[in-house]
Amino acid sequence: MWPAASTWAAEATAVFVKEWRCELRTRYALSTLALFAFTTLVVVSVSLGPLGVARSQGSAVLPVLLWVILLFSVAAGLPRTFVQEEESQTATALRLSATPSALFCGKLAYGLTVIAALEALITPVYLAMMSLPVRSPGLLAVALAAAGYGLAAGSTLVAAIIAQARSKGTLFAVLAFPVLLPLLLLAVEITRDAVGGDPAGVALTQLILYDACVTTAGLMLFPAVWNP
Amino acid sequence: MESLTKTILPWLLWLWLVGVILGAFLYAPPAVGFRGSSRILFFHVPMAWVSFVAFLAAGVESLRYLYGGRAPRHDRSAAAAVELGLAFGVLATVTGALWAKVMWGAYWNWDPRQTSILVALLFYAAYLALRAALEDRETRARLSAAYAVLGLVVAPFLYFVMPRMAEFTLHPEPVINRTGKVDMDGKMVLVLMSSLAGFTALYFWLHNLQCRIAELAERRASLEGDRP
Amino acid sequence: MNAMNDVGGANGWILAVNLIVWTGIFLYLLHLNRKLRDMEKDR
């Protein structure tokens, strides 16, 4: 199925490539994610746009909604990476052929690229539809990158955990949200700073620290989660 | 001799906490700037502290399980710790909300500390939900242990880093404030520390009882499983 | 600040209730402990 990999990096890349190949074949996750994100976006715009939200409140409320949209889209689309393996029973083959850490990083890289694509798609549209001027676009980009990474890392690990359980859909949300919530709170704070033109406060440091912690935990725990 | 200490210790604990209760109401003065309602902190703070201790214990026991031979007693211990942590955490949140109502007029203010402990509680309820969704004993132990170790990474962040770094909080300064000095009346400190010790001892007793119950239940279940 | 003034009225009641509740919990835990010990003995 995938080439015999002699180095770790080759393995991880192989996993990454295979994920995208499968995904492009069916385009399931991408379409779910995009559709979900756009639908939520429309709902938000309709309720806040025409009915109007005061300018002053807008810059406080709108950053939150952007991240809510991203969070729910991720929850809707990302767990499939592991759930599908278990369901189509390709998981056993993976367990035999891939090193756990390489597998984790391959899947994580896939998740990252999906989230990056989502963010690139949604954010400009959101900003345009809400007429939200951003004074520090650089900071916004940093927030999107850092929090996006955190979302990917956390989601990948949790997806691996729930893939072996029943009622996977709701269970993912239940398990992932407490882990991702601090991430979201920090991202919102930084986004608010970006909109208002304020310099990034401690929130950015905390966000990066959180990312580092979740990554370490993921790399350490994934072998135990993946192999019986 | 050993059974003598075993009989005396619980009574000592009883006496200790009686002393704490009396101290909280008769010995310690009301906090400066607060009213008599401040006495609740002698119970609210220790309960929040115990819930944090419980979560750490769950994480440590889970590490022991995963990397120390997969012994079922560590799994039982971790689950017991989470249950107790959740119970104490709920009590801490409720007492905190009641106090908030008296002091600041509203039960919930989205104060960073309040939010943090709420997210922590969600995390541990999620742990229990995960266990409920896994039937096989070894899979359940392994995956919930992984999630608890992830919690080890998240919990200190929630309990300590985030609340302290927020710019504005309704919570009174932590006991050892930024300058490193203790900023509370001496009598209050005494009662508070005694209460912390008492509640921690109580937690360990409860945890011990819980583990024994779980082991007996497991033993009975395996016996009944053998019956035709 | 003499906290003795606070006793009596609501504070006195709360104190009593606290002591009663705690003692009740304690006795229950002792009972539980005894029961578990018995169950553990007849393996």
Side-chain angles (χ1 to χ4, degrees):
Chain A
M1 244 184 289
W2 35 88
S6 51
T7 66
W8 182 92
E11 269 191 56
T13 319
V15 171
F16 175 70
V17 166
K18 166 238 165 212
E19 288 297 319
W20 270 109
R21 226 186 256 160
C22 288
E23 181 47 41
L24 290 172
R25 217 179 281 159
T26 57
R27 274 180 286 267
Y28 179 91
L30 285 177
S31 41
T32 315
L33 273 169
L35 212 63
F36 188 97
F38 270 113
T39 314
T40 326
L41 191 60
V42 168
V43 170
V44 167
S45 311
V46 165
S47 44
L48 289 183
L51 302 180
V53 97
R55 261 306 117 215
S56 53
Q57 292 171 327
S59 48
V61 172
L62 294 175
V64 178
L65 294 168
L66 172 63
W67 285 104
V68 168
I69 294 171
L70 288 172
L71 173 68
F72 279 88
S73 309
V74 166
L78 226 50
R80 285 189 58 77
T81 49
F82 281 103
V83 172
Q84 194 179 30
E85 305 282 5
E86 300 286 341
E87 280 174 359
S88 59
Q89 300 184 321
T90 50
T92 327
L94 265 180
R95 284 192 171 97
L96 290 172
S97 52
T99 329
S101 57
L103 179 63
F104 181 70
C105 289
K107 298 262 184 188
L108 174 57
Y110 169 74
L112 266 175
T113 41
V114 168
I115 290 179
L118 184 68
E119 286 178 344
L121 196 66
I122 292 296
T123 314
V125 177
Y126 184 76
L127 292 176
M129 286 177 92
M130 315 305 311
S131 310
L132 186 65
V134 176
R135 293 219 185 92
S136 317
L139 185 58
L140 179 62
V142 170
L144 287 170
Y149 175 81
L151 281 176
S155 301
T156 307
L157 182 63
V158 173
I161 291 176
I162 58 115
Q164 300 170 53
R166 301 174 291 165
S167 63
K168 305 165 216 275
T170 45
L171 204 58
F172 178 80
V174 167
L175 260 68
F177 283 6
V179 177
L180 299 177
L181 229 52
L183 211 67
L184 265 277
L185 294 175
L186 292 170
V188 166
E189 204 181 311
I190 302 173
T191 310
R192 280 208 187 115
D193 288 339
V195 166
D198 306 318
V202 272
L204 186 56
T205 323
Q206 285 181 279
L207 182 57
I208 295 176
L209 188 65
Y210 200 78
D211 283 348
C213 290
V214 174
T215 313
T216 318
L219 283 171
M220 202 181 77
L221 293 167
F222 187 73
V225 170
W226 185 240
N227 293 317
Chain B
M1 194 63 222
E2 202 207 281
S3 61
L4 184 64
T5 37
K6 268 193 179 163
T7 349
I8 289 188
L9 279 180
W11 285 102
L12 276 179
L13 178 63
W14 175 75
L15 213 59
W16 184 273
L17 280 173
V18 166
V20 165
I21 294 173
L22 289 171
F25 283 95
L26 300 177
Y27 176 68
V32 176
F34 298 94
R35 302 193 306 265
S37 68
S38 67
R39 298 185 196 280
I40 204 172
L41 83 89
F42 297 118
F43 307 100
H44 164 75
V45 172
M47 286 193 271
W49 165 253
V50 163
S51 112
F52 175 69
V53 167
F55 296 163
L56 282 186
V60 168
E61 288 295 314
S62 294
L63 280 172
R64 275 206 184 128
Y65 177 82
L66 287 175
Y67 302 112
R70 308 277 166 109
R73 62 189 162 91
H74 290 141
D75 174 53
R76 282 194 297 264
S77 178
V82 171
E83 286 161 7
L84 285 172
L86 187 60
F88 275 99
V90 167
L91 287 173
T93 313
V94 168
T95 49
L98 289 172
W99 193 17
K101 174 72 178 169
V102 169
M103 290 303 305
W104 301 298
Y107 289 109
W108 197 262
N109 297 288
W110 295 109
D111 169 74
R113 271 223 165 93
Q114 279 183 317
T115 312
S116 288
I117 195 169
L118 190 65
V119 176
L121 292 183
L122 288 176
F123 197 100
Y124 292 97
Y127 173 94
L128 296 173
L130 177 64
R131 286 187 79 92
L134 295 163
E135 280 167 354
D136 177 60
R137 187 156 55 81
E138 273 126 10
T139 317
R140 180 174 62 218
R142 179 171 52 95
L143 292 179
S144 57
Y147 193 66
V149 174
L150 182 59
L152 202 56
V153 165
V154 173
F157 209 94
L158 287 175
Y159 279 97
F160 293 114
V161 175
M162 273 179 75
R164 237 164 258 242
M165 281 173 141
E167 282 139 24
F168 171 70
T169 171
L170 290 170
H171 261 90
E173 280 280 343
V175 175
I176 317 281
N177 70 18
R178 284 163 210 270
T179 62
K181 287 188 306 166
V182 177
D183 201 25
M184 216 201 247
D185 178 87
K187 289 181 180 172
M188 288 184 71
V189 173
L190 180 64
V191 178
L192 183 61
M193 293 297 147
S194 312
S195 186
L196 276 171
F199 269 90
T200 311
L202 180 63
Y203 161 76
F204 280 114
W205 190 23
L206 288 170
H207 182 257
N208 170 270
L209 289 170
Q210 186 80 323
C211 286
R212 285 155 69 189
I213 292 174
E215 186 183 355
L216 286 169
E218 224 164 270
R219 220 184 279 170
R220 173 187 294 181
S222 64
L223 284 174
E224 278 173 4
D226 289 341
R227 256 186 238 140
Chain C
M1 279 288 224
N2 193 354
M4 293 301 277
N5 313 329
D6 286 335
V7 188
N11 244 24
W13 280 112
I14 298 175
L15 177 59
V17 169
N18 263 286
L19 289 171
I20 292 171
V21 169
W22 162 233
T23 309
I25 293 175
F26 175 76
L27 291 173
Y28 173 72
L29 291 178
L30 271 185
H31 166 76
L32 196 57
N33 195 23
R34 234 164 269 156
K35 219 170 158 199
L36 284 175
R37 218 182 294 166
D38 290 339
M39 286 178 82
E40 282 163 350
K41 282 209 181 104
D42 32 81
R43 292 182 112 242

